[in-house]
Amino acid sequence: MTENAQQQPASNPELPTQYAPAEVEGKLYERWVERGYFAADPKSEKPPYTIVIPPPNVTGSLHLGHAFEHTLIDALTRRKRMQGYETLWQPGMDHAGIATQNVVERELAKEGKSRHDLGREAFVERVWQWKAESGGQISGQMRRLGDGVDWSRERFTMDEGLSQAVQTIFKKLYDDELIYRAERIINWCPRCLTAISDIEVEYQDDEGELVSIRYGEGDASIVVATTRAETMLGDTAVAVHPEDERYAHLVGTEIELPLTGRRIPVVADTHVDPEFGTGAVKVTPAHDPNDFEIGQRHSLPNLAIMDEHAVITVHGPFQGLDRLEARSAIVGALRAEGRIVAEKRPYTHSVGHCSRCKTTIEPRLSMQWWVKVGPLARAAGDAVRDGRVTIHPKEMESRYFGWVDNLHDWCISRQLWWGHRIPVWYGPNGEVVCVGPDEQPPTGEGWTQDTDVLDTWFSSGLWPFSTLGWPEQTESLEKFYPNSVMVTGYDILFFWVARMMMFGLYAMDGTPPFHTIALHGMVRDQFGKKMSKSFGNAVNPLDWMDTYGSDAVRFTLARGANPGVDVPIGEDWVQASRNFANKIWNATRFALMNGATVEGELPPTEQLSAADRWILSRLNATVAEVDAYYEDYQFSKLSDALYHFAWDEVFDWYVELSKTTYFAGGEQARVSGRVLGEVLDVTLRLLHPIVPFVTETLWTTLTGKESVVIADWPGDSGFRDEAAEREIELVQRVVTEVRRFRSDQGLQPGQKVPARLTLDGTALAPHEAAIRQLLRLQPEGDGFSATATLPVAGATVALDLSGTIDVGAERKRLAKDLAAAEKEKAQAQAKLGNEAFLAKAPDNVVDKIRTRLAKAEEDIARITAQLNSLPQA
């Protein structure tokens, strides 16, 4: 074969010259679904492997966080499917109570209506209509990403089966006295007009004011400080510590509450910190959770002063004012009476906000439904402590225990219309009846159902088993429960994971919902900043998929995924992953055109070249390495291992080392073609779970088989050849060193140079042709003159550069560079030798100078070696 033919091979009819993701991804995905590759059969005798999708909100669309999490789950399930497991990746969506109701209410507002204009039944019907027409766009976007979910099992938290599960567990908890109704302080959103749980409150530092107010007169006066002056209208006591001698004479007496004309008691309570502020606190039991507890201990009345809109409802002058308007008005009135002792403005403090609408939360006394979490949380903690459930990474265990060991009872009722209605009826004579799914609710005059719905997290806490048919004892429940692993972000460890643990252990007779909790971090921009529309750095992953392909997005996300650690990502990284996909394509295409095949058995070891044995040894080591990383959920490390093996070792070294064999033809070309086919077959299967589309196209073309989705996962044959690995490492050293020298001399990569190679007596001798090919080294020829000699790896490479560089000019350039490096070294040494400088300079500055010194010394050694290799001008 001529050199020209080698550079311009004939086109391959089966693979286009370029990979075009948009032309193949959608078709491949639909083919996978149509052929049922992702369907899970409960009758299968294969061992089960189950993962549920963290159900996205029906209002949502695919964002980078979804794409990241789905990539990791899809990689796990695709690998397990290839390993012979009956794999179920369960899809579905959450009804997202508050979020969905807000969306539909905004639609109604455009028509000049509210939900009250429609009434409850018509409004709920309107939400279902919206869900059918506009909800669930994320499903199509999941297909774009390549999610291998079993679409035939898709569930929705408000569908009939899951609603039955919700009602069943509510009834069971109620009968076991683990659900109760009580008046407590809750987090109230005056915008959404509902209670929200502690974990749905977002805290941020707000600027407000801290005012100190004098209650009472003369010796019978106490100063209290507050950031919420309006709540003083609901004060029913002042509390001090029992051992605080400053106020001992006032405990048990009453003092005047300004502006109200009421007198309130002074009580002693250990909750008060005598060292903080004045050592006295105002007590507003109906508007503060700590004050509520003090009020309970001292039998204080609960005086509510605001309605559900946070509007003042008491005391004439302020009645009808919004809480913030009232705050200003009350401070003004107190100031006029001389009651303000001190004011601090602005005063920055942590304030809770509704995670949905960002409105400031108002603590409010309210009658709500609660789950008694004590025994449930203990069980959830014990399951991790005794090893039934493993948290990965292990350092996240302390956060989990810190949460479940200190859980307060869970407020599960919401004042919404969209959601699972609380299955409790009230009778005309005070009767309370909880109704199970197979029971008829009481009828007759005066019977009404509770108007509240359940917290969204109540139904999603049942997700690992309700999606499998519970409370019915289905084949799927028996086969696929418990789940194998729960892959989710550390940010919802408390929102969701703890609730699934509590409900799973309770409903499934002590069997936890999953064996492993694998926690990942949050996706951030390339500078480590949280992605947000308000920051202007949010990314729509679909845009990147359109531009670079889904494989590129998936590989970028997987390569950044270290357990429990946030993931920075930038578009240039996606471009690099696209280049990797193109490299896989082009190298496989080249291999197919030059004899790569999977037909027949691998040749026996004695027929293999050192390069063949080296790449097979490295292949098996990579299989073992990737398997170990998968078992440890080290997606970043396994992605890096695959990247460097495929690009560096297979494509940049083995293919290049074997080119001389391919082009020479004969038996050795056939052997290397079979080895290359084997390496590509295994490498594409290893890559498939992370980059499924490009590997499907290439693998089916290479092997002629149906699909890599259902191919066997590669096993480690145990073949290792350390001698071959050492031999090829020597070749790599020679090539790398000479390439570096050529680059330093300003030679182009493809520029040919006459050379004499002295390899006799070394392991390099059989590789002369490959070394010359890789380094573009021509035979010596007549008139050869060694102008540069490089000793490396026990061999000598002599180069004739007389026709390629101006030796005199090159010496002059290198001498200038050497002088600069020596000057840099002298300056660094002078500073590091100055004791006064070292005593004053910060550690990071000293470290930088040490780094500069090391770099200068390295440069001096390199440049000196280059000068020594050049002839005298």
Side-chain angles (χ1 to χ4, degrees):
M1 187 179 288
T2 67
E3 187 175 64
N4 187 55
Q6 294 172 23
Q7 294 174 345
Q8 298 177 347
S11 62
N12 187 310
E14 296 187 53
L15 284 177
T17 56
Q18 291 183 327
Y19 177 52
E23 296 178 11
V24 301
E25 291 179 349
K27 295 175 184 177
L28 284 181
Y29 188 83
E30 290 309 313
R31 185 189 307 162
W32 293 335
V33 173
E34 288 168 6
R35 292 180 177 179
Y37 293 157
F38 305 142
D41 181 5
K43 293 183 170 64
S44 169
E45 295 183 359
K46 297 177 182 177
Y49 186 80
T50 315
I51 297 181
V52 295
I53 187 175
N57 287 353
V58 68
T59 59
S61 60
L62 192 75
H63 56 64
L64 264 182
H66 289 129
F68 171 56
E69 186 167 78
H70 290 202
T71 294
L72 305 187
I73 298 175
D74 197 37
L76 290 173
T77 53
R78 284 178 183 270
R79 172 175 174 262
K80 284 296 183 181
R81 188 178 295 113
M82 296 171 75
Q83 287 183 314
Y85 286 78
E86 191 62 31
T87 302
L88 169 60
W89 184 10
Q90 172 69 53
M93 285 183 292
D94 191 279
H95 66 279
I98 296 176
T100 305
Q101 180 158 318
N102 284 347
V103 167
V104 178
E105 286 197 84
R106 284 196 295 270
E107 293 294 317
L108 285 174
K110 295 175 184 177
E111 303 170 15
K113 298 178 182 177
S114 74
R115 60 182 165 121
H116 300 284
D117 294 323
L118 273 66
R120 183 169 193 143
E121 186 174 338
F123 176 77
V124 170
E125 181 59 35
R126 179 71 176 258
V127 180
W128 278 108
Q129 180 184 338
W130 174 87
K131 191 259 182 185
E133 295 174 356
S134 306
Q137 61 173 319
I138 199 169
S139 297
Q141 296 165 345
M142 288 166 58
R143 293 170 182 264
R144 284 285 312 278
L145 188 64
D147 285 5
V149 300
D150 185 347
W151 290 110
S152 68
R153 293 172 173 268
E154 187 173 13
R155 304 302 300 268
F156 180 55
T157 50
M158 285 283 286
D159 68 29
E160 184 177 351
L162 267 65
S163 295
Q164 182 184 28
V166 168
Q167 194 170 352
T168 298
I169 201 163
F170 187 100
K171 171 70 170 173
K172 180 174 170 60
L173 288 163
Y174 181 87
D175 289 346
D176 287 346
E177 297 184 349
L178 292 172
I179 281 183
Y180 64 94
R181 192 170 185 240
E183 192 174 44
R184 299 273 183 83
I185 293 286
I186 47 89
N187 303 299
W188 181 263
C189 176
R191 158 62 184 81
C192 297
L193 297 180
T194 181
I196 62 174
S197 65
D198 291 344
I199 53 179
E200 291 171 305
V201 179
E202 294 179 349
Y203 287 90
Q204 65 184 48
D205 287 341
D206 287 358
E207 284 192 358
E209 61 178 346
L210 179 68
V211 294
S212 297
I213 310 168
R214 178 172 51 83
Y215 288 12
E217 301 292 345
D219 292 338
S221 67
I222 294 180
V223 174
V224 298
T226 181
T227 58
R228 301 166 65 216
E230 70 280 7
T231 62
M232 67 158 291
L233 299 178
D235 286 358
T236 56
V238 171
V240 298
H241 193 275
E243 298 176 3
D244 193 335
E245 295 181 359
R246 293 172 296 175
Y247 304 114
H249 66 291
L250 292 177
V251 174
T253 68
E254 291 185 342
I255 60 173
E256 183 182 351
L257 178 65
L259 305 182
T260 65
R262 291 192 290 116
R263 295 185 66 80
I264 57 176
V266 178
V267 299
D269 195 280
T270 54
H271 169 76
V272 180
D273 180 1
E275 303 298 323
F276 183 78
T278 64
V281 296
K282 57 191 289 299
V283 182
T284 319
H287 293 276
D288 183 274
N290 292 321
D291 292 4
F292 177 78
E293 298 296 333
I294 294 174
Q296 293 289 293
R297 288 193 289 272
H298 298 276
S299 301
L300 300 174
N302 300 316
L303 180 58
I305 63 165
M306 297 182 207
D307 66 13
E308 65 271 24
H309 298 280
V311 171
I312 303 298
T313 58
V314 298
H315 200 68
F318 312 109
Q319 194 168 0
L321 295 180
D322 171 81
R323 56 182 166 168
L324 299 181
E325 296 172 333
R327 182 176 301 169
S328 177
I330 287 170
V331 170
L334 290 167
R335 188 182 297 113
E337 289 192 4
R339 294 283 179 177
I340 302 296
V341 175
E343 296 180 72
K344 187 174 182 180
R345 187 185 300 111
Y347 178 74
T348 302
H349 60 129
S350 182
V351 177
H353 296 260
C354 173
S355 62
R356 300 296 180 186
C357 70
K358 312 308 177 187
T359 301
T360 300
I361 290 302
E362 188 63 43
R364 184 169 188 249
L365 186 65
S366 179
M367 183 67 76
Q368 302 285 345
W369 285 94
W370 304 80
V371 171
K372 186 184 295 183
V373 300
L376 303 175
R378 279 194 296 276
D382 290 345
V384 174
R385 288 187 171 95
D386 63 25
R388 282 175 290 158
V389 178
T390 301
I391 294 180
H392 188 89
K394 188 173 179 61
E395 53 264 29
M396 287 287 179
E397 278 188 3
S398 59
R399 296 181 66 174
Y400 175 79
F401 292 135
W403 180 257
V404 298
D405 292 347
N406 296 285
L407 270 179
H408 298 294
D409 285 0
W410 172 20
C411 177
I412 56 171
S413 45
R414 299 292 180 266
Q415 289 64 55
L416 304 171
W417 288 357
W418 173 245
H420 295 101
R421 189 91 172 259
I422 287 178
V424 171
W425 272 255
Y426 305 108
N429 298 311
E431 302 96 333
V432 178
V433 176
C434 180
V435 177
D438 300 321
E439 301 172 349
Q440 291 296 320
T443 57
E445 186 176 350
W447 282 94
T448 58
Q449 186 178 358
D450 195 297
T451 57
D452 289 350
V453 300
L454 287 165
D455 178 10
T456 299
W457 296 103
F458 190 94
S459 52
S460 58
L462 314 180
W463 192 247
F465 52 94
S466 64
T467 51
L468 297 173
W470 187 90
E472 301 299 324
Q473 295 304 305
T474 64
E475 286 183 316
S476 290
L477 187 65
E478 183 177 353
K479 177 74 174 180
F480 296 112
Y481 187 91
N483 292 188
S484 304
V485 60
M486 168 54 57
V487 180
T488 190
Y490 65 71
D491 55 320
I492 59 171
L493 177 63
F494 319 128
F495 282 82
W496 188 39
V497 176
R499 281 155 172 68
M500 286 187 289
M501 286 284 283
M502 290 191 296
F503 280 168
L505 289 159
Y506 173 73
M508 302 301 292
D509 299 322
T511 302
F514 22 74
H515 298 302
T516 301
I517 302 167
L519 298 171
H520 58 72
M522 298 171 63
V523 178
R524 297 181 178 272
D525 70 13
Q526 64 266 44
F527 306 110
K529 190 174 182 180
K530 181 179 179 180
M531 285 192 174
S532 166
K533 290 181 181 178
S534 61
F535 295 154
N537 63 350
V539 173
N540 183 347
L542 298 173
D543 293 340
W544 280 353
M545 287 185 223
D546 290 341
T547 305
Y548 305 109
S550 297
D551 284 333
V553 174
R554 289 170 61 112
F555 192 76
T556 303
L557 292 165
R559 202 174 181 191
N562 289 300
V565 178
D566 289 345
V567 183
I569 184 172
E571 187 168 2
D572 55 338
W573 302 341
V574 187
Q575 291 175 357
S577 296
R578 187 268 315 273
N579 295 342
F580 179 51
N582 288 342
K583 182 76 171 182
I584 299 169
W585 182 273
N586 293 332
T588 304
R589 184 172 178 274
F590 168 85
L592 287 170
M593 290 189 296
N594 288 279
T597 180
V598 295
E599 295 181 5
E601 297 294 323
L602 271 176
T605 305
E606 58 269 19
Q607 294 183 17
L608 303 179
S609 68
D612 294 336
R613 288 181 281 113
W614 165 73
I615 197 62
L616 290 173
S617 183
R618 291 296 307 127
L619 175 68
N620 281 289
T622 301
V623 170
E625 186 178 17
V626 168
D627 275 334
Y629 285 142
Y630 261 116
E631 295 305 315
D632 200 32
Y633 303 98
Q634 297 278 0
F635 294 97
S636 177
K637 290 181 178 179
L638 72 88
S639 299
D640 260 348
L642 287 169
Y643 176 90
H644 289 296
F645 175 72
W647 191 309
D648 299 344
E649 298 186 282
V650 178
F651 304 142
D652 278 0
W653 282 107
Y654 180 69
V655 170
E656 293 298 322
L657 284 168
S658 303
K659 275 184 178 178
T660 53
T661 304
Y662 301 145
F663 298 147
E667 179 62 17
Q668 194 57 50
R670 185 195 67 79
V671 170
S672 291
R674 180 63 187 89
V675 171
L676 180 56
E678 181 76 11
V679 172
L680 288 174
D681 170 20
V682 174
T683 302
L684 291 170
R685 282 185 281 152
L686 288 174
L687 283 164
H688 172 72
I690 298 176
V691 285
F693 296 106
V694 67
T695 52
E696 171 80 339
T697 306
L698 295 174
W699 189 84
T700 53
T701 302
L702 171 69
T703 65
K705 295 181 180 179
E706 181 181 344
S707 174
V708 69
V709 176
I710 53 173
D712 290 337
W713 181 253
D716 175 9
S717 69
F719 176 80
R720 299 287 192 279
D721 193 324
E722 294 181 1
E725 291 195 34
R726 288 193 297 269
E727 188 172 327
I728 299 304
E729 284 172 6
L730 290 177
V731 175
Q732 292 172 321
R733 278 182 59 193
V734 171
V735 172
T736 302
E737 287 297 320
V738 177
R739 278 178 175 167
R740 183 181 295 120
F741 177 79
R742 287 173 55 107
S743 175
D744 288 339
Q745 308 310 313
L747 298 179
Q748 296 300 314
Q751 190 171 351
K752 292 180 170 55
V753 178
R756 178 189 299 140
L757 273 62
T758 306
L759 308 176
D760 294 342
T762 73
L764 296 165
H767 303 285
E768 180 169 351
I771 292 172
R772 287 186 177 277
Q773 169 79 18
L774 289 164
L775 289 171
R776 306 295 189 265
L777 301 180
Q778 294 178 319
E780 300 174 39
D782 297 334
F784 176 83
S785 174
T787 59
T789 303
L790 302 174
V792 57
T796 303
V797 179
L799 304 174
D800 184 353
L801 304 177
S802 57
T804 57
I805 65 170
D806 182 334
V807 175
E810 185 62 18
R811 277 191 163 279
K812 187 176 180 180
R813 182 184 71 80
L814 289 172
K816 183 179 179 181
D817 290 346
L818 180 60
E822 288 174 337
K823 181 179 179 182
E824 175 74 2
K825 175 183 176 181
Q827 290 176 341
Q829 285 178 327
K831 286 190 175 181
L832 293 174
N834 185 334
E835 295 296 335
F837 169 79
L838 293 177
K840 295 179 181 178
D843 290 345
N844 65 319
V845 172
V846 175
D847 288 341
K848 281 185 179 180
I849 295 172
R850 289 193 177 115
T851 301
R852 283 170 49 194
L853 175 60
K855 176 69 168 51
E857 290 174 337
E858 181 183 314
D859 288 345
I860 290 169
R862 176 178 56 81
I863 296 167
T864 301
Q866 291 173 19
L867 281 167
N868 291 338
S869 69
L870 292 174
Q872 296 299 318

